[in-house]
Amino acid sequence: MHYIVDRIEGNYAVCEDLSHHQMVNLPLSNLPSGIQNGTCLIYKNQKYLLDKAYQKNRYNIIKAKFDKVKKHQP
């Protein structure tokens, strides 16, 4: 399952669960250090791990959409 950190609130990361399209609160103590808004996580082998490849892919898709919109503005 993939998650994207939306924001940090207290001792929790509010994340979007991309499999179920819902928001979940994950304890920071269960997550890798250094997470921030936009960090992509994967839940694998009963652990939350950074998924840098997934994050980079999402970034590239969003950037391509932004560039396309920007290109068509006067």
Side-chain angles (χ1 to χ4, degrees):
M1 288 193 259
H2 279 99
Y3 299 87
I4 297 178
V5 177
D6 182 66
R7 63 189 179 278
I8 306 295
E9 289 187 357
N11 294 325
Y12 292 90
V14 180
C15 301
E16 181 180 359
D17 176 346
L18 297 177
S19 299
H20 299 102
H21 304 287
Q22 62 185 359
M23 301 304 281
V24 295
N25 295 326
L26 302 176
L28 290 176
S29 59
N30 293 348
L31 303 178
S33 63
I35 65 164
Q36 57 188 0
N37 298 353
T39 298
C40 293
L41 302 167
I42 188 167
Y43 187 70
K44 190 174 183 179
N45 299 327
Q46 300 180 341
K47 290 171 48 175
Y48 294 97
L49 307 167
L50 296 176
D51 193 337
K52 291 182 181 182
Y54 188 79
Q55 187 168 330
K56 183 174 179 155
N57 184 50
R58 284 183 57 88
Y59 172 84
N60 289 335
I61 290 169
I62 292 168
K63 184 178 182 319
K65 287 180 181 183
F66 178 78
D67 289 347
K68 185 177 179 181
V69 168
K70 190 175 175 183
K71 181 178 176 182
H72 289 89
Q73 289 184 342

